[in-house]
Amino acid sequence: MSSLSTKLTFWGVRGSTPTVDPATWRFGGNTPCLDLVAPDGTQFILDCGTGLRMLGNRWGTEDSPRPTKTHIFVTHYHWDHIQGLPFFSPLYVEKNEFQFYSFRSKFLGRDSLRQVFETQMAIPYFPVDFSAMSARRKFRELDGAETFQVGQNKITARWLNHPQGCLGFRIETSAGTVVYATDNEPGDPALDKSLRELAAGADIFINDAQFTPTQLATTRKGWGHSSWKEGVNVAREVNAKTLVLFHHDPDSTDRALDGILSQAREEFDSVFAASEGMVITLGAPGQAVQAHLPGSRTAMRRDAKFRACVTGLTIGGQRFTEETIIRDLALQGASISLKHSPRLQSELEVVIDTPGVNGVQEMRLRGYVVRLEAGQEKGTTAVGVVFTD
Ligand SMILES: [Zn+2]
Ligand SMILES: [Zn+2]
């Protein structure tokens, strides 16, 4: 399992409640769950929202067997962070072992997380009893002020400003530092400071970006969440290298998130909007952060050849236009071979020549870059695009 990189996968990125409407399809509707595999092979899960079920479905395939032990960090007990637990199939497998970390809630008392498990699966809320979970589970309560070691990784937990409390986690691996700070609102001086301590110099800083700066200042003040703008401010102040906007509002459509992301990108160099299936790899020190978005969200494609003209923005922010042949095209998206390397999550315009009754016609499509891979021909990039219109 050991490798030199740290691999972080986003299984759920939506805040508050899952969304299934088509307008949120591209970024995804599952609630918070991330999976991190450190270079020493230690595996971590961050939060147990509905994304956890998807992770469970891909657990321990023959191609990539999983170690039996996993460390699960639960930031707090709001529904969206625990909802996936009863649906995580590895919990029903005897040989597995899970070490949970969370905190003692003053509303629940001793063994808060164990109580959450039992209550979630109590009659009449769930058909199967808690005892059906045969995996070994251990529970450790944190008090928001500690630093400890898991494998070769240093973990720091700190309190964040959120109703009934929430923990932020900093995971320092040999390939870089990931900070997970979901569900927090700016405005409490002591907790603002603890967020900054947690995020200091992080390679990946994942921050709550549920609301727009205007909502945060007005109608949503006191709800316990943050904005892209606040994430940018903190990232700048503490020299975080890459900011990931997280915990998207259930009412934020894909288009709204495109807008939020482009605003953030005007103010900070390296920003991603967390998207379901997104994988971020941290390599050796000094190497650029690599992010991949899933291609599996597009349906089957058929082989064809279309002449096309593609306009977009490069990673460096330069506008480019390039002629190419598209061989891989579907209604929802395409894989396009380009000499230019467009920016992940940037907008792309694709004008395709299609044969029609009156000769060749132009079809004009707009989409977003969701995947970048080395192209089949040397010097090209295979660019995965999802069309929005
Ligand atoms: Zn939440
Ligand atoms: Zn919450």
Side-chain angles (χ1 to χ4, degrees), residues 3-9 35-40 44 153 171-178 204 279-284 290:
S3 73
L4 291 170
S5 59
T6 287
K7 188 179 165 201
L8 180 68
T9 309
D35 149 47
L36 186 152
V37 181
D40 66 346
F44 299 95
N153 314 284
I171 303 178
E172 294 173 50
T173 75
S174 60
T177 297
V178 174
I204 305 291
V279 178
I280 294 182
T281 311
L282 283 173
Q290 288 187 32

Side-chain angles (χ1 to χ4, degrees), residues 35-245:
D35 149 47
L36 186 152
V37 181
D40 66 346
T42 306
Q43 48 189 18
F44 299 95
I45 293 173
L46 302 169
D47 270 334
C48 300
T50 59
L52 186 63
R53 185 182 63 89
M54 309 282 290
L55 171 57
N57 290 348
R58 286 160 184 75
W59 198 257
T61 58
E62 267 178 37
D63 297 348
S64 58
R66 290 270 183 172
T68 49
K69 183 158 184 181
T70 306
H71 300 264
I72 302 189
F73 293 90
V74 178
T75 58
H76 63 308
Y77 306 114
H78 287 161
W79 271 116
D80 49 326
H81 300 262
I82 57 164
Q83 238 166 341
L85 275 171
F87 304 97
F88 184 51
S89 52
L91 277 170
Y92 298 84
V93 178
E94 212 175 317
K95 71 173 171 53
N96 291 333
E97 185 182 335
F98 295 95
Q99 171 71 59
F100 286 91
Y101 304 80
S102 59
F103 62 89
R104 183 177 298 190
S105 158
K106 68 176 176 192
F107 303 97
L108 294 168
R110 230 179 110 89
D111 288 334
S112 292
L113 186 57
R114 196 193 299 264
Q115 287 186 53
V116 164
F117 264 106
E118 286 172 8
T119 317
Q120 265 188 329
M121 300 181 74
I123 294 168
Y125 302 117
F126 199 71
V128 183
D129 189 67
F130 176 68
S131 61
M133 283 187 176
S134 49
R136 270 214 286 164
R137 278 157 294 163
K138 289 183 189 161
F139 298 89
R140 173 168 171 183
E141 288 182 337
L142 306 173
D143 65 12
E146 57 264 271
T147 294
F148 54 97
Q149 203 77 18
V150 176
Q152 291 165 25
N153 314 284
K154 186 175 153 194
I155 315 295
T156 303
R158 286 285 179 277
W159 289 113
L160 301 176
N161 186 28
H162 194 61
Q164 297 110 49
C166 178
L167 289 174
F169 296 106
R170 176 184 177 99
I171 303 178
E172 294 173 50
T173 75
S174 60
T177 297
V178 174
V179 172
Y180 178 56
T182 187
D183 296 59
N184 73 88
E185 177 167 355
D188 177 304
L191 295 174
D192 287 353
K193 187 165 168 266
S194 93
L195 173 65
R196 281 157 180 77
E197 283 168 8
L198 202 66
D203 294 286
I204 305 291
F205 170 42
I206 302 159
N207 194 52
D208 187 317
Q210 179 153 354
F211 300 138
T212 64
T214 314
Q215 285 177 317
L216 185 60
T218 57
T219 54
R220 300 288 186 264
K221 195 173 164 59
W223 289 34
H225 298 287
S226 193
S227 73
W228 65 266
K229 179 94 178 157
E230 191 57 32
V232 166
N233 291 344
V234 176
R236 271 207 201 113
E237 273 178 49
V238 304
N239 282 321
K241 292 179 189 66
T242 291
L243 169 67
V244 180
L245 308 175

Side-chain angles (χ1 to χ4, degrees), residues 260-322:
I260 285 171
L261 177 61
S262 69
Q263 283 177 287
R265 281 184 166 171
E266 276 174 26
E267 300 203 16
F268 195 73
D269 273 348
S270 185
V271 190
F272 295 105
S275 153
E276 221 169 89
M278 183 165 101
V279 178
I280 294 182
T281 311
L282 283 173
Q287 244 179 343
V289 166
Q290 288 187 32
H292 302 274
L293 293 166
S296 56
R297 308 197 111 233
T298 53
M300 289 274 290
R301 298 201 175 95
R302 63 197 155 84
D303 280 331
K305 275 189 184 178
F306 297 100
R307 288 172 58 85
C309 180
V310 180
T311 309
L313 282 181
T314 64
I315 292 166
Q318 303 286 326
R319 183 153 286 278
F320 72 86
T321 298
E322 187 181 328

